[in-house]
Amino acid sequence: MWSPRRPVLTAAQQYAILKASAICTGNGTLKPGRLSWRFEASPSPLSRRYSVRIDYRQGATPLVFVDRPDLVELSAGRRLPHVYAQKPPRLCLYLPSSAEWAAEMRIDQTIVPWTILWLYYFEEWLDSNEWKGGGVHPKESD
C-alpha cells in the first residue's frame, strides 16, 4: 500500500519541538537550516548527570556529543566504545545506512532517548568493560 512520505522537519521546527519537550529541557541556538541544543541527562536515578549537545543541520544526521563530564577521563585510559570520535566523544546511536533515523522524525523522540540509552550502556561498560548496547561499531576517527 502506498503511503506519502512525511515532509522533512525543518531545523526551526525541530528547535521548537525541543524547546517544548519535557524530556530534554535545555537551551540552544538556531541559525538558518541549523540548530544546536544542549541539555542535561541522567540515564538512571543513581547515575551522574551528563551535559549533552546535539548539532543538527537540516536534512543531515544529528551529531551528538557529551561535553561534560569528560568521557575519556572517566574511561581511565580505555578507548571509548561505540563512538565516531574519541575527542570530543561523538556518540554512535544508530547505523546511518539502516534508515533507523530520517529527517522526517523528531529529534526529541528518537535521538534524545537513544542518547540516554547510550549513556546507560556507557555506565555499564565503565564497570564491566563490555559494551552491552549492541549495534555495529563504527569506524572512528581520533
Side-chain angles (χ1 to χ4, degrees), residues 14-21 23-30 35-40 51-56 63 65 67 107-108 112:
Q14 293 280 16
Y15 182 83
I17 290 167
L18 286 164
K19 241 176 138 44
S21 175
I23 191 173
C24 60
T25 303
N27 59 60
T29 58
L30 179 64
L35 72 84
S36 184
W37 188 257
R38 295 176 187 275
F39 67 100
E40 300 283 318
S51 178
V52 177
R53 175 173 39 96
I54 300 171
D55 290 334
Y56 177 65
L63 306 179
F65 303 91
D67 291 330
I107 291 172
D108 72 316
V112 169

Side-chain angles (χ1 to χ4, degrees), residues 42-99:
S42 184
S44 79
L46 301 176
S47 297
R48 65 181 51 85
R49 298 210 42 87
Y50 296 88
S51 178
V52 177
R53 175 173 39 96
I54 300 171
D55 290 334
Y56 177 65
R57 186 174 39 96
Q58 190 170 309
T61 299
L63 306 179
V64 181
F65 303 91
V66 175
D67 291 330
R68 285 186 331 272
D70 185 331
L71 300 185
V72 173
E73 188 176 297
L74 288 176
S75 72
R78 297 175 286 172
R79 289 189 66 76
L80 297 173
H82 224 62
V83 294
Y84 289 108
Q86 296 286 314
K87 273 287 195 183
R90 188 176 129 219
L91 309 188
C92 175
L93 303 177
Y94 66 96
L95 186 62
S97 63
S98 68

